[in-house]
């Protein structure tokens, strides 16, 4: 079975979100998610992108969403898959896995 590679976007900042003081940083969450998704769905293509909300890089969609995170005071890191926010502040693996499985990913 073949399917398209999904991009998982993690929006965050080097500085911890004020409400997230005891949580991992956005960058740590990005690293953790990359490892967890790779383990759960080996040999299934995905990309994971980190976007710094204070100096975003990427396409227009990423720039606009980074702005939205700041404007709406969202808890970061914010995890987005295909335009859907699937995690905010302290993202849950179960929710992210469920979203990936909607697109055909098979856990191993």
């Amino acid at each position: 079975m073949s399917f398209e590679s999904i991009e998982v976007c993690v929006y965050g900042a080097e500085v911890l979100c004020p409400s997230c003081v005891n949580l991992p940083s956005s960058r740590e969450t990005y690293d953790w998610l990359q490892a967890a998704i790779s383990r759960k769905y080996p040999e299934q293509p995905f990309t994971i992108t980190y976007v710094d909300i204070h100096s975003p890089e990427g396409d227009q969609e990423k720039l606009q969403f980074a702005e939205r995170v700041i404007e709406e005071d969202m808890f970061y890191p914010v995890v987005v898959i295909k335009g859907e926010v699937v995690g905010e502040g302290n993202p849950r693996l179960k929710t992210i896995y469920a979203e990936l499985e909607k697109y055909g990913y098979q856990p191993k």
Side-chain angles (χ1 to χ4, degrees):
M1 173 177 161
S2 94
F3 48 69
E4 65 178 297
S5 175
I6 298 286
E7 181 181 29
V8 178
C9 284
V10 178
Y11 292 84
E14 295 308 312
V15 177
L16 285 179
C17 127
S19 308
C20 309
V21 173
N22 295 321
L23 298 175
S25 72
S26 298
R27 185 66 73 173
E28 288 167 335
T29 299
Y30 163 83
D31 292 337
W32 168 73
L33 276 177
Q34 187 166 30
I37 294 169
S38 296
R39 267 194 311 276
K40 180 99 171 165
Y41 307 100
E43 297 167 33
Q44 295 174 71
F46 76 95
T47 54
I48 184 162
T49 307
Y50 179 79
V51 179
D52 187 315
I53 59 173
H54 298 296
S55 55
E57 292 179 11
D59 57 34
Q60 196 59 37
E61 192 178 322
K62 286 183 179 69
L63 301 179
Q64 288 173 336
F65 194 85
E67 220 170 87
R68 188 179 144 199
V69 171
I70 295 169
E71 286 172 4
E72 295 180 15
D73 281 329
M74 297 172 94
F75 295 120
Y76 48 84
V78 179
V79 181
V80 178
I81 297 173
K82 286 194 162 277
E84 279 299 307
V85 174
V86 294
E88 199 179 324
N90 188 13
R92 297 178 54 84
L93 278 176
K94 193 173 177 181
T95 309
I96 293 164
Y97 291 161
E99 190 68 18
L100 288 169
E101 287 169 19
K102 280 182 7 188
Y103 295 102
Y105 282 69
Q106 299 291 313
K108 297 286 182 225

